[in-house]
Amino acid sequence: MNLGLTASLSLHNAIKKSISNNVAALLPGTTKADEVIIYSAHWDHFGKGEAIKGDSIYNGAADNASGTAAVLAIAEAFTNLKKKPARSILFLSVTGEEQGLLGSEYYATHPIFPLGKTVADINLDVLQPFGKMKDVIVMGYGQSELDDYAKEAAAQQGRIVRGEPDASGGWYFRSDHFNFAKVGIPALYIENGTQSLEDGEEWGNAKKEDYNKNRYHSPFDEYSPHWDMSGIVEDATLLFNIGNRLSNETTFPKWKKGSEFKAIREKYKK
């Protein structure tokens, strides 16, 4: 229907260019230094933004100061090992995740190590301070053999691995590990579980829902001295154990049948 109306609009915007850096640290392997396992976490957040309830500082304490701190702790654990890893370990803090996974995309397309020599990426993004959980959530469960590594590492802690309860959120495609998967590198991304050992699963689900509703990507994702870090320590230990196992193996984890990334990885063999 023609309403007989006209409109005149003008739009004023400003484009600002800036440079932000990935930060990489390498622990060289002893006998297979040309093969590398990557631990990745994004160090960026939103900085200052739209004020909500008078607060304009977007702290990003869980998302993703928790992940970057855990990578540093894992790096320290590797350096303290009496038996140093055979393969090299690359600790990679990437930038621009919140702007579209930009830092990890840059590394994946400008790798320090050849992609065919990169064993796996283990990504840490949002470790929640909700205490110890019976379960571990593997995002994109069923994609690669890293799921099996996670199950074995979890079993050593008396825990179980589950796939994400609602895959419709597409979380496997929304954090930095996705850019490694896109170039064929098996990538593991876990999320803390909801089956709280102390308070039960209903409580765990409520805590996660509260974070997503009231703190995620807001100024209220901030540190509290009341955080229970025990679950974060357990998750970081699990990921350390997986990487340590990988660092001393001679095989490469594979994508599972049906994964859209399997054919990409197999090209490196030719």
Side-chain angles (χ1 to χ4, degrees):
M1 177 184 292
N2 186 349
L3 299 178
L5 301 175
T6 61
S8 178
L9 301 174
S10 62
L11 178 65
H12 301 278
N13 66 349
I15 297 175
K16 177 184 177 181
K17 293 185 178 181
S18 60
I19 295 175
S20 188
N21 297 299
N22 292 335
V23 181
L26 181 69
L27 178 64
T30 55
T31 59
K32 291 182 174 292
D34 61 329
E35 297 177 358
V36 64
I37 294 109
I38 297 175
Y39 281 93
S40 60
H42 73 91
W43 65 260
D44 67 304
H45 199 57
F46 292 113
K48 289 186 177 181
E50 179 183 358
I52 300 176
K53 297 181 181 179
D55 191 347
S56 62
I57 305 298
Y58 287 65
N59 306 276
D63 182 16
N64 188 32
S66 66
T68 52
V71 167
L72 292 173
I74 289 170
E76 183 177 17
F78 270 104
T79 61
N80 288 332
L81 286 174
K82 290 183 179 179
K83 179 186 176 183
K84 302 304 180 185
R87 287 166 161 164
S88 296
I89 315 290
L90 182 66
F91 304 98
L92 185 62
S93 292
V94 293
T95 188
E97 193 268 358
E98 303 291 5
Q99 284 70 42
L101 315 182
L102 301 180
S104 56
E105 180 182 27
Y106 185 86
Y107 181 91
T109 54
H110 303 79
I112 299 173
F113 284 84
L115 299 178
K117 291 287 189 177
T118 304
V119 177
D121 170 62
I122 299 172
N123 188 56
L124 293 86
D125 191 356
V126 186
L127 304 177
Q128 293 287 15
F130 300 155
K132 291 186 177 181
M133 299 289 171
K134 175 68 175 178
D135 57 332
V136 180
I137 307 298
V138 171
M139 313 305 279
Y141 183 80
Q143 287 278 6
S144 82
E145 291 177 347
L146 291 175
D147 298 347
D148 305 317
Y149 285 73
K151 283 196 290 186
E152 292 183 28
Q156 291 171 4
Q157 298 178 331
R159 305 169 73 191
I160 61 171
V161 162
R162 297 193 297 145
E164 53 197 300
D166 181 8
S168 64
W171 292 104
Y172 191 77
F173 308 93
R174 292 175 58 180
S175 190
D176 290 304
H177 62 284
F178 177 49
N179 279 319
F180 295 98
K182 283 168 63 177
V183 293
I185 299 169
L188 178 66
Y189 171 36
I190 71 166
E191 191 175 271
N192 66 296
T194 57
Q195 297 176 2
S196 169
L197 293 181
E198 186 173 334
D199 299 294
E201 187 167 13
E202 184 176 346
W203 179 91
N205 283 323
K207 292 291 286 186
K208 185 170 289 188
E209 182 179 352
D210 175 68
Y211 173 79
N212 289 333
K213 181 178 179 180
N214 298 311
R215 281 182 284 284
Y216 177 65
H217 284 184
S218 84
F220 309 113
D221 182 2
E222 54 192 355
Y223 171 75
S224 168
H226 303 295
W227 276 10
D228 181 347
M229 309 287 277
S230 60
I232 293 178
V233 171
E234 199 162 52
D235 285 347
T237 300
L238 181 146
L239 295 176
F240 165 79
N241 289 337
I242 293 171
N244 191 33
R245 175 183 167 184
L246 287 166
S247 73
N248 291 296
E249 291 184 335
T250 58
T251 58
F252 282 59
K254 299 179 178 62
W255 293 101
K256 292 189 174 181
K257 184 178 179 180
S259 172
E260 59 266 47
F261 309 111
K262 189 173 187 291
I264 304 171
R265 182 64 159 186
E266 290 176 347
K267 291 179 181 177
Y268 300 132
K269 299 177 183 179
K270 299 177 181 178

